[in-house]
Amino acid sequence: MKEQENKELNLFIKKAFEDLELDEVSKDFNRTLFQKIEFSKKAILSPKPLISRLIWYVLALFVVTLFILGNSIVEINEVFWLSTLKYNTIGNFDWLNFDINELKLNSSIYATMGLTIFIVFQVLILKNYFAKRRVLI
Amino acid sequence: MDRDQPLIDLTKQGNISAYEQLVDRYKNMVFTLALRLVGNKEEAEEVTQDTFLKVYDAISNFKGDSKFSTWLYKIAYHKSLDYIKKIKTQPRTNSLDGSYELDFQLMNETWNSLESKEKRRNIKKAIERLEGEDGLLITLFYFEELTLKEIANITDLEANTVKVRLHRARKKLALILKNTLEPETIKCYERAGK
């Protein structure tokens, strides 16, 4: 009896659904959707760099200059202007009067110096960036 | 081979017009399902947009373990639930009056006597009156003709639970239709008496 009732119920609902039509989205649905997709694609594909291209070029130029000038000055001129400076003329700074010529400057030291400058620079910028967004690191 | 697969492959390669074809194929169904849950056209459209955005982002992860439509409806279902949670609306509930005794012969006769337009209006209104997820389940089962297993996959329910809920929803829908059709039934009797 119950089985028959279920069968009839099922058939009736099936018949009723034959006339059902889907609800339709608004006419500008696709336009809005694909605008959103384009926007999200751009946001993913071209993130704003933390350090602009110009700053990278300036930094690179600075490091290259440091290498070239540093090498040529130290190797060609025996008396480097920095080594002639007397720091004790502005007070009791005798400890600053070290002889720069005693330092063995080679390309490894310059590379380390350059790398340190890059890292310090990036740390400052990154710290500033995350602080603005209140992200704890 | 699944008819959606070529379009899915092209979308994965970045072909946006292929994705537009997929959107056109499924947007009204996704919208209807969202509407069953959120109950408002503007909000349902927002959910539908979110669904297709999510699908576009995640399509590279679609491995084809299930039908594309099932995967899409699952995302739409969860997006709708998220939306309901976000705006903290209560699921729609309706109290149904009237006896559960249904005279299917009379109901069938009355239904057949209706114009197509009237039938469409009546069934649509009746589904709108179903509460919670009943409208969604019944649409997936009778309109989209999905299996209990597929519906269970979409809703993360057990197939048996889906079966029980569907039975309940089916009865409620029939009762709503019976109440809606009663004035028509009277007209039928009047016509028969003349």
Side-chain angles (χ1 to χ4, degrees):
Chain A
M1 184 70 184
K2 206 175 175 187
E3 209 171 291
Q4 179 62 24
E5 192 190 291
N6 283 341
K7 209 174 161 187
E8 281 184 298
L9 177 64
N10 191 35
L11 282 172
F12 176 72
I13 301 291
K14 245 184 196 171
K15 186 189 262 186
F17 261 82
E18 282 170 10
D19 294 287
L20 182 72
E21 282 181 348
L22 291 177
D23 291 277
E24 287 183 12
V25 292
S26 63
K27 280 179 183 161
D28 63 346
F29 179 86
N30 282 23
R31 191 178 53 81
T32 317
L33 174 69
F34 285 95
Q35 268 176 1
K36 285 183 187 172
I37 287 175
E38 276 303 309
F39 183 76
S40 68
K41 265 167 71 182
K42 275 181 194 161
I44 294 165
L45 292 174
S46 55
K48 201 182 165 193
L50 289 180
I51 300 169
S52 73
R53 193 174 288 228
L54 180 71
I55 293 176
W56 279 118
Y57 284 138
V58 171
L59 274 172
L61 193 70
F62 175 73
V63 172
V64 169
T65 314
L66 196 74
F67 275 114
I68 295 168
L69 282 179
N71 275 325
S72 59
I73 289 168
V74 172
E75 281 168 20
I76 297 164
N77 304 326
E78 279 186 10
V79 184
F80 182 41
W81 63 271
L82 200 59
S83 64
T84 61
L85 274 179
K86 297 291 178 193
Y87 296 99
N88 61 357
T89 53
I90 48 170
N92 190 15
F93 287 103
D94 289 349
W95 57 275
L96 276 172
N97 281 334
F98 63 91
D99 188 356
I100 202 156
N101 289 320
E102 284 175 13
L103 283 172
K104 301 286 178 205
L105 293 172
N106 54 31
S107 56
S108 303
I109 291 175
Y110 281 117
T112 313
M113 279 166 66
L115 192 67
T116 311
I117 291 166
F118 269 111
I119 289 170
V120 170
F121 197 74
Q122 281 209 42
V123 164
L124 288 174
I125 287 182
L126 284 171
K127 202 179 158 192
N128 193 30
Y129 174 80
F130 285 114
K132 274 184 189 168
R133 280 153 184 78
R134 293 182 186 172
V135 176
L136 294 173
I137 48 174
Chain B
M1 190 181 169
D2 187 354
R3 69 184 184 129
D4 295 328
Q5 200 52 51
L7 292 174
I8 295 165
D9 292 339
L10 286 169
T11 306
K12 282 182 183 176
Q13 289 161 23
N15 186 329
I16 202 90
S17 64
Y19 188 59
E20 190 161 14
Q21 285 181 59
L22 280 173
V23 170
D24 284 336
R25 195 172 282 174
Y26 290 107
K27 64 185 177 186
N28 288 337
M29 188 63 205
V30 170
F31 176 65
T32 304
L33 295 178
L35 188 59
R36 299 275 181 268
L37 286 170
V38 300
N40 171 300
K41 282 199 167 190
E42 284 75 31
E43 289 164 352
E45 186 147 328
E46 204 179 317
V47 171
T48 310
Q49 293 259 345
D50 286 350
T51 302
F52 281 109
L53 265 174
K54 169 81 185 171
V55 167
Y56 186 77
D57 284 342
I59 203 157
S60 54
N61 302 327
F62 176 69
K63 300 281 182 271
D65 299 332
S66 63
K67 281 197 285 185
F68 174 73
S69 57
T70 313
W71 181 67
L72 171 68
Y73 300 154
K74 191 181 174 90
I75 293 174
Y77 173 75
H78 286 284
K79 283 275 171 199
S80 303
L81 292 188
D82 287 348
Y83 191 86
I84 291 169
K85 249 187 240 170
K86 198 171 78 182
I87 57 167
K88 293 186 178 95
T89 53
Q90 295 295 315
R92 286 174 301 136
T93 53
N94 290 306
S95 59
L96 296 173
D97 302 320
S99 137
Y100 271 92
E101 281 172 28
L102 299 161
D103 183 343
F104 290 108
Q105 197 187 339
L106 185 62
M107 282 175 74
N108 273 315
E109 280 173 19
T110 316
W111 188 258
N112 292 336
S113 72
L114 295 176
E115 301 266 331
S116 287
K117 205 176 155 188
E118 275 294 289
K119 285 181 188 171
R120 275 200 295 273
R121 193 175 60 84
N122 277 317
I123 183 70
K124 204 173 160 186
K125 278 200 164 185
I127 297 170
E128 280 169 11
R129 284 193 60 197
L130 286 175
E131 59 193 54
E133 295 175 11
D134 289 352
L136 178 118
L137 296 179
I138 215 156
T139 306
L140 287 174
F141 189 75
Y142 284 102
F143 190 86
E144 198 62 4
E145 295 181 338
L146 297 189
T147 62
L148 291 176
K149 206 177 158 191
E150 283 170 326
I151 299 174
N153 179 19
I154 292 167
T155 54
D156 294 329
L157 294 169
E158 292 291 323
N160 267 339
T161 314
V162 174
K163 194 177 173 183
V164 172
R165 285 204 187 175
L166 258 175
H167 180 68
R168 234 170 24 206
R170 196 186 281 147
K171 263 194 145 175
K172 279 182 203 167
L173 188 68
L175 184 66
I176 295 167
L177 281 170
K178 182 196 159 200
N179 291 342
T180 320
L181 295 177
E182 257 168 9
E184 299 294 331
T185 316
I186 293 164
K187 276 185 210 165
C188 252
Y189 278 126
E190 280 174 357
R191 276 199 294 269
K194 277 178 190 173

